[in-house]
Amino acid sequence: MDCGIVTSKTVLIFISLVFWAAGAGLAYVGAQLLNSYGTFESFIQNKYMLIPAVVIIGISVAMFIFGLLGCCATMRESKVGLSFFFLIIMVMFAAEVAVLVLGFIYQGKMNGDIDHSMNDVFAKYDGNDPETRTVDYLQIKLKCCGVRNYTSWFNTTWYQSHNSTVPVSCCKNVSTQCTGRLDQLDLLNLEGCEAELEHLVQDLLKYAMLVILGFAVIKFFGMLSVCVIACKSNGRRSGYQPLYA
């Protein structure tokens, strides 16, 4: 068998098999983005963060379905199957490039949105409503206090109506004798939550974009392999040559 055919088929079969693993990886990344949005939706009021996550999950589902198609088409060296597989790879490649572009665009817009949303939510903190529980969870999870730092609480209704104290969720260890008084600064987390939340979301987006970039490169070589098989097959007299020959 022609070396180019063998190499190209090997690449396509490998890509087909990797599609399942890639789909699982992308599904995990998309789920993490959605989970982060669900957890901190009070601070990320605009829905644009959901766009990359939804596209990523959609691509992962397509990968599971089309991986089987690619493997079968390559093994049978089906001209129609390989043509369809090429079209699928090309569309997914374009979608992944689009997600990369969206990720870069929304990465810059997100910081301003988080700052505005966090200031509004922290200002309404009263210790009882659902948004309050989100603030407490955020401060405990990220080990932070206030929007920019613990002094961000000074202009809030909570601080002024609770004897100039910050919420107990600002404490380094909520099980200690920490009560949120400012004479216990050694027991409080002093760093702000805005920077920590931005880093968390930015890290998730960067990880997602790196994963997508890697799979886009693989698909690019997959398209080249389909072209090689198509060209070689058209030039062979016998027409069909099984992979195991």
Side-chain angles (χ1 to χ4, degrees), residues 78-103:
S78 168
K79 184 176 180 179
V80 175
L82 287 174
S83 298
F84 189 53
F85 192 43
F86 177 86
L87 179 62
I88 291 169
I89 294 176
M90 184 174 64
V91 171
M92 295 178 69
F93 176 80
E96 288 167 349
V97 171
V99 171
L100 286 173
V101 174
L102 286 173

Side-chain angles (χ1 to χ4, degrees), residues 106-144:
Y106 293 138
Q107 202 170 18
K109 291 183 178 180
M110 190 174 301
N111 293 346
D113 178 64
I114 289 178
D115 177 72
H116 177 73
S117 299
M118 290 188 72
N119 280 308
D120 287 346
V121 174
F122 274 69
K124 298 175 182 177
Y125 184 94
D126 62 6
N128 297 312
D129 61 29
E131 289 188 343
T132 288
R133 291 192 290 272
T134 302
V135 170
D136 288 333
Y137 176 82
L138 178 73
Q139 294 192 141
I140 294 173
K141 180 75 173 180
L142 301 183
K143 300 184 186 304
C144 57

Side-chain angles (χ1 to χ4, degrees), residues 31 36-37 45 61 83 87 91 123 127 139 144 154 158 165 174 178 211:
S36 296
Y37 178 86
Q45 294 178 351
V61 173
S83 298
L87 179 62
V91 171
Q139 294 192 141
C144 57
F154 292 179
W158 170 270
T165 62
V174 295
C178 176
V211 172

Side-chain angles (χ1 to χ4, degrees), residues 149-208:
N149 53 53
Y150 74 101
T151 62
S152 298
W153 283 106
F154 292 179
N155 296 323
T156 64
T157 303
W158 170 270
Y159 182 83
Q160 297 168 2
S161 61
H162 287 76
N163 299 320
S164 300
T165 62
V166 297
V168 177
S169 56
C170 282
C171 297
K172 294 179 179 178
N173 189 342
V174 295
S175 63
T176 63
Q177 298 301 317
C178 176
T179 60
R181 298 200 313 270
L182 296 184
D183 59 356
Q184 300 177 320
L185 288 181
D186 57 319
L187 300 179
L188 299 175
N189 293 306
L190 305 180
E191 298 79 11
C193 296
E194 180 182 4
E196 296 296 329
L197 181 57
E198 287 178 356
H199 290 157
L200 174 64
V201 176
Q202 297 286 2
D203 287 345
L204 284 172
L205 282 177
K206 288 177 181 177
Y207 173 71

Side-chain angles (χ1 to χ4, degrees), residues 1-23:
M1 179 183 287
D2 186 279
C3 181
I5 294 291
V6 173
T7 303
S8 297
K9 284 188 174 183
T10 302
V11 170
L12 287 178
I13 291 175
F14 174 75
I15 291 175
S16 298
L17 296 176
V18 164
F19 270 178
W20 288 294

